[in-house]
PDB file of all heavy atoms in Angstrom:
ATOM      1  N   LEU A 472     131.305  56.590 185.868  1.00 85.00           N
ATOM      2  CA  LEU A 472     131.255  55.275 186.584  1.00 85.00           C
ATOM      3  C   LEU A 472     131.602  54.158 185.647  1.00 85.00           C
ATOM      4  O   LEU A 472     132.141  53.098 186.061  1.00 85.00           O
ATOM      5  CB  LEU A 472     129.770  55.068 187.085  1.00 85.00           C
ATOM      6  CG  LEU A 472     129.270  55.982 188.182  1.00 85.00           C
ATOM      7  CD1 LEU A 472     127.881  55.642 188.575  1.00 85.00           C
ATOM      8  CD2 LEU A 472     130.160  55.812 189.395  1.00 85.00           C
ATOM      9  N   TYR A 473     131.250  54.354 184.363  1.00 88.00           N
ATOM     10  CA  TYR A 473     131.503  53.285 183.375  1.00 88.00           C
ATOM     11  C   TYR A 473     132.914  53.233 182.822  1.00 88.00           C
ATOM     12  O   TYR A 473     133.321  52.253 182.215  1.00 88.00           O
ATOM     13  CB  TYR A 473     130.456  53.396 182.181  1.00 88.00           C
ATOM     14  CG  TYR A 473     129.233  52.651 182.501  1.00 88.00           C
ATOM     15  CD1 TYR A 473     128.153  53.279 183.115  1.00 88.00           C
ATOM     16  CD2 TYR A 473     129.057  51.344 182.099  1.00 88.00           C
ATOM     17  CE1 TYR A 473     126.966  52.615 183.454  1.00 88.00           C
ATOM     18  CE2 TYR A 473     127.816  50.596 182.392  1.00 88.00           C
ATOM     19  CZ  TYR A 473     126.819  51.298 183.016  1.00 88.00           C
ATOM     20  OH  TYR A 473     125.704  50.643 183.275  1.00 88.00           O
ATOM     21  N   GLU A 474     133.645  54.373 182.967  1.00 88.00           N
ATOM     22  CA  GLU A 474     134.966  54.508 182.321  1.00 88.00           C
ATOM     23  C   GLU A 474     135.863  53.253 182.479  1.00 88.00           C
ATOM     24  O   GLU A 474     136.348  52.705 181.522  1.00 88.00           O
ATOM     25  CB  GLU A 474     135.608  55.696 182.947  1.00 88.00           C
ATOM     26  CG  GLU A 474     136.230  56.581 181.875  1.00 88.00           C
ATOM     27  CD  GLU A 474     136.683  57.986 182.399  1.00 88.00           C
ATOM     28  OE1 GLU A 474     137.422  57.901 183.468  1.00 88.00           O
ATOM     29  OE2 GLU A 474     136.171  58.944 181.953  1.00 88.00           O
ATOM     30  N   LYS A 475     135.922  52.768 183.731  1.00 87.00           N
ATOM     31  CA  LYS A 475     136.887  51.737 184.070  1.00 87.00           C
ATOM     32  C   LYS A 475     136.394  50.422 183.312  1.00 87.00           C
ATOM     33  O   LYS A 475     137.202  49.792 182.635  1.00 87.00           O
ATOM     34  CB  LYS A 475     136.849  51.471 185.593  1.00 87.00           C
ATOM     35  CG  LYS A 475     137.978  50.571 185.979  1.00 87.00           C
ATOM     36  CD  LYS A 475     138.118  50.646 187.523  1.00 87.00           C
ATOM     37  CE  LYS A 475     138.893  49.425 187.999  1.00 87.00           C
ATOM     38  NZ  LYS A 475     138.023  48.409 188.566  1.00 87.00           N
ATOM     39  N   ARG A 476     135.101  50.140 183.458  1.00 87.00           N
ATOM     40  CA  ARG A 476     134.628  48.882 182.800  1.00 87.00           C
ATOM     41  C   ARG A 476     134.782  48.940 181.291  1.00 87.00           C
ATOM     42  O   ARG A 476     135.085  47.885 180.671  1.00 87.00           O
ATOM     43  CB  ARG A 476     133.151  48.700 183.157  1.00 87.00           C
ATOM     44  CG  ARG A 476     132.982  48.079 184.503  1.00 87.00           C
ATOM     45  CD  ARG A 476     131.508  47.957 184.862  1.00 87.00           C
ATOM     46  NE  ARG A 476     130.790  47.033 183.982  1.00 87.00           N
ATOM     47  CZ  ARG A 476     129.463  46.965 183.878  1.00 87.00           C
ATOM     48  NH1 ARG A 476     128.755  47.801 184.598  1.00 87.00           N
ATOM     49  NH2 ARG A 476     128.933  46.073 183.034  1.00 87.00           N
ATOM     50  N   LEU A 477     134.603  50.107 180.732  1.00 92.00           N
ATOM     51  CA  LEU A 477     134.677  50.231 179.258  1.00 92.00           C
ATOM     52  C   LEU A 477     136.119  49.941 178.836  1.00 92.00           C
ATOM     53  O   LEU A 477     136.380  49.190 177.917  1.00 92.00           O
ATOM     54  CB  LEU A 477     134.314  51.647 178.810  1.00 92.00           C
ATOM     55  CG  LEU A 477     132.773  52.013 178.906  1.00 92.00           C
ATOM     56  CD1 LEU A 477     132.601  53.476 178.661  1.00 92.00           C
ATOM     57  CD2 LEU A 477     132.037  51.144 177.895  1.00 92.00           C
ATOM     58  N   LYS A 478     137.055  50.491 179.618  1.00 93.00           N
ATOM     59  CA  LYS A 478     138.471  50.342 179.222  1.00 93.00           C
ATOM     60  C   LYS A 478     138.797  48.860 179.341  1.00 93.00           C
ATOM     61  O   LYS A 478     139.497  48.305 178.457  1.00 93.00           O
ATOM     62  CB  LYS A 478     139.312  51.118 180.276  1.00 93.00           C
ATOM     63  CG  LYS A 478     140.027  52.234 179.499  1.00 93.00           C
ATOM     64  CD  LYS A 478     141.035  52.868 180.445  1.00 93.00           C
ATOM     65  CE  LYS A 478     141.151  54.354 180.067  1.00 93.00           C
ATOM     66  NZ  LYS A 478     141.359  55.187 181.211  1.00 93.00           N
ATOM     67  N   GLU A 479     138.355  48.202 180.454  1.00 91.00           N
ATOM     68  CA  GLU A 479     138.706  46.778 180.615  1.00 91.00           C
ATOM     69  C   GLU A 479     138.141  45.914 179.512  1.00 91.00           C
ATOM     70  O   GLU A 479     138.677  44.923 179.188  1.00 91.00           O
ATOM     71  CB  GLU A 479     137.987  46.312 181.972  1.00 91.00           C
ATOM     72  CG  GLU A 479     138.764  46.659 183.182  1.00 91.00           C
ATOM     73  CD  GLU A 479     137.957  46.460 184.418  1.00 91.00           C
ATOM     74  OE1 GLU A 479     136.820  45.913 184.338  1.00 91.00           O
ATOM     75  OE2 GLU A 479     138.431  46.897 185.512  1.00 91.00           O
ATOM     76  N   ASN A 480     137.054  46.421 178.896  1.00 92.00           N
ATOM     77  CA  ASN A 480     136.452  45.635 177.811  1.00 92.00           C
ATOM     78  C   ASN A 480     136.921  46.128 176.447  1.00 92.00           C
ATOM     79  O   ASN A 480     136.271  45.824 175.422  1.00 92.00           O
ATOM     80  CB  ASN A 480     134.899  45.694 177.897  1.00 92.00           C
ATOM     81  CG  ASN A 480     134.443  44.856 179.048  1.00 92.00           C
ATOM     82  OD1 ASN A 480     134.453  43.623 178.983  1.00 92.00           O
ATOM     83  ND2 ASN A 480     134.034  45.538 180.176  1.00 92.00           N
ATOM     84  N   SER A 481     137.945  46.953 176.403  1.00 95.00           N
ATOM     85  CA  SER A 481     138.440  47.551 175.130  1.00 95.00           C
ATOM     86  C   SER A 481     137.401  48.278 174.335  1.00 95.00           C
ATOM     87  O   SER A 481     137.249  48.119 173.102  1.00 95.00           O
ATOM     88  CB  SER A 481     139.110  46.478 174.265  1.00 95.00           C
ATOM     89  OG  SER A 481     139.792  45.548 174.914  1.00 95.00           O
ATOM     90  N   ILE A 482     136.611  49.025 175.054  1.00 96.00           N
ATOM     91  CA  ILE A 482     135.611  49.819 174.342  1.00 96.00           C
ATOM     92  C   ILE A 482     135.951  51.284 174.448  1.00 96.00           C
ATOM     93  O   ILE A 482     136.106  51.841 175.471  1.00 96.00           O
ATOM     94  CB  ILE A 482     134.178  49.522 174.964  1.00 96.00           C
ATOM     95  CG1 ILE A 482     133.760  48.123 174.820  1.00 96.00           C
ATOM     96  CG2 ILE A 482     133.123  50.455 174.319  1.00 96.00           C
ATOM     97  CD1 ILE A 482     132.550  47.623 175.534  1.00 96.00           C
ATOM     98  N   LYS A 483     135.998  51.901 173.227  1.00 96.00           N
ATOM     99  CA  LYS A 483     136.320  53.315 173.087  1.00 96.00           C
ATOM    100  C   LYS A 483     135.097  54.073 173.412  1.00 96.00           C
ATOM    101  O   LYS A 483     133.979  53.735 172.877  1.00 96.00           O
ATOM    102  CB  LYS A 483     136.856  53.611 171.732  1.00 96.00           C
ATOM    103  CG  LYS A 483     138.363  53.495 171.656  1.00 96.00           C
ATOM    104  CD  LYS A 483     138.795  54.085 170.289  1.00 96.00           C
ATOM    105  CE  LYS A 483     140.132  53.582 169.953  1.00 96.00           C
ATOM    106  NZ  LYS A 483     140.363  53.487 168.526  1.00 96.00           N
ATOM    107  N   LEU A 484     135.240  55.197 174.054  1.00 95.00           N
ATOM    108  CA  LEU A 484     134.055  56.044 174.361  1.00 95.00           C
ATOM    109  C   LEU A 484     134.157  57.383 173.590  1.00 95.00           C
ATOM    110  O   LEU A 484     135.181  58.014 173.632  1.00 95.00           O
ATOM    111  CB  LEU A 484     134.001  56.303 175.820  1.00 95.00           C
ATOM    112  CG  LEU A 484     132.785  57.218 176.288  1.00 95.00           C
ATOM    113  CD1 LEU A 484     131.414  56.594 176.030  1.00 95.00           C
ATOM    114  CD2 LEU A 484     132.981  57.589 177.739  1.00 95.00           C
ATOM    115  N   LYS A 485     133.109  57.683 172.816  1.00 95.00           N
ATOM    116  CA  LYS A 485     133.012  58.979 172.098  1.00 95.00           C
ATOM    117  C   LYS A 485     131.865  59.692 172.644  1.00 95.00           C
ATOM    118  O   LYS A 485     130.743  59.114 172.674  1.00 95.00           O
ATOM    119  CB  LYS A 485     132.851  58.754 170.631  1.00 95.00           C
ATOM    120  CG  LYS A 485     134.068  58.206 169.918  1.00 95.00           C
ATOM    121  CD  LYS A 485     133.818  58.294 168.428  1.00 95.00           C
ATOM    122  CE  LYS A 485     134.397  57.054 167.756  1.00 95.00           C
ATOM    123  NZ  LYS A 485     133.868  56.905 166.388  1.00 95.00           N
ATOM    124  N   VAL A 486     132.080  60.934 173.059  1.00 95.00           N
ATOM    125  CA  VAL A 486     130.957  61.654 173.617  1.00 95.00           C
ATOM    126  C   VAL A 486     130.865  63.015 172.876  1.00 95.00           C
ATOM    127  O   VAL A 486     131.893  63.703 172.613  1.00 95.00           O
ATOM    128  CB  VAL A 486     131.154  61.925 175.092  1.00 95.00           C
ATOM    129  CG1 VAL A 486     130.000  62.731 175.699  1.00 95.00           C
ATOM    130  CG2 VAL A 486     131.361  60.637 175.819  1.00 95.00           C
ATOM    131  N   SER A 487     129.641  63.367 172.455  1.00 95.00           N
ATOM    132  CA  SER A 487     129.511  64.723 171.842  1.00 95.00           C
ATOM    133  C   SER A 487     128.168  65.262 172.438  1.00 95.00           C
ATOM    134  O   SER A 487     127.100  64.824 172.142  1.00 95.00           O
ATOM    135  CB  SER A 487     129.379  64.485 170.288  1.00 95.00           C
ATOM    136  OG  SER A 487     128.837  65.553 169.793  1.00 95.00           O
ATOM    137  N   MET A 488     128.413  66.212 173.289  1.00 94.00           N
ATOM    138  CA  MET A 488     127.223  66.828 173.914  1.00 94.00           C
ATOM    139  C   MET A 488     126.965  68.230 173.398  1.00 94.00           C
ATOM    140  O   MET A 488     127.930  69.063 173.261  1.00 94.00           O
ATOM    141  CB  MET A 488     127.508  66.951 175.415  1.00 94.00           C
ATOM    142  CG  MET A 488     127.945  65.639 176.040  1.00 94.00           C
ATOM    143  SD  MET A 488     126.633  64.933 176.981  1.00 94.00           S
ATOM    144  CE  MET A 488     127.516  63.646 177.838  1.00 94.00           C
ATOM    145  N   THR A 489     125.717  68.564 173.214  1.00 93.00           N
ATOM    146  CA  THR A 489     125.330  69.913 172.715  1.00 93.00           C
ATOM    147  C   THR A 489     125.590  70.876 173.860  1.00 93.00           C
ATOM    148  O   THR A 489     125.410  70.496 175.033  1.00 93.00           O
ATOM    149  CB  THR A 489     123.904  69.954 172.314  1.00 93.00           C
ATOM    150  OG1 THR A 489     123.550  71.270 172.015  1.00 93.00           O
ATOM    151  CG2 THR A 489     122.938  69.342 173.214  1.00 93.00           C
ATOM    152  N   GLU A 490     126.043  72.078 173.508  1.00 91.00           N
ATOM    153  CA  GLU A 490     126.389  72.995 174.515  1.00 91.00           C
ATOM    154  C   GLU A 490     125.147  73.474 175.282  1.00 91.00           C
ATOM    155  O   GLU A 490     125.207  73.842 176.405  1.00 91.00           O
ATOM    156  CB  GLU A 490     127.112  74.199 173.928  1.00 91.00           C
ATOM    157  CG  GLU A 490     128.617  73.916 173.807  1.00 91.00           C
ATOM    158  CD  GLU A 490     129.314  75.085 173.176  1.00 91.00           C
ATOM    159  OE1 GLU A 490     128.839  76.228 173.197  1.00 91.00           O
ATOM    160  OE2 GLU A 490     130.453  74.853 172.735  1.00 91.00           O
ATOM    161  N   ASN A 491     124.078  73.530 174.564  1.00 89.00           N
ATOM    162  CA  ASN A 491     122.858  74.036 175.182  1.00 89.00           C
ATOM    163  C   ASN A 491     121.732  72.975 175.032  1.00 89.00           C
ATOM    164  O   ASN A 491     120.971  73.021 174.089  1.00 89.00           O
ATOM    165  CB  ASN A 491     122.402  75.324 174.458  1.00 89.00           C
ATOM    166  CG  ASN A 491     121.190  75.895 175.176  1.00 89.00           C
ATOM    167  OD1 ASN A 491     120.748  75.442 176.243  1.00 89.00           O
ATOM    168  ND2 ASN A 491     120.614  76.894 174.587  1.00 89.00           N
TER     169      ASN A 491
END
Side-chain angles (χ1 to χ4, degrees):
L472 294 178
Y473 272 87
E474 224 167 56
K475 191 167 160 260
R476 277 178 67 195
L477 288 169
K478 247 188 213 143
E479 281 167 8
N480 288 286
S481 320
I482 296 171
K483 272 191 197 149
L484 176 66
K485 286 190 220 165
V486 182
S487 162
M488 306 255 189
T489 170
E490 276 182 18
N491 183 11

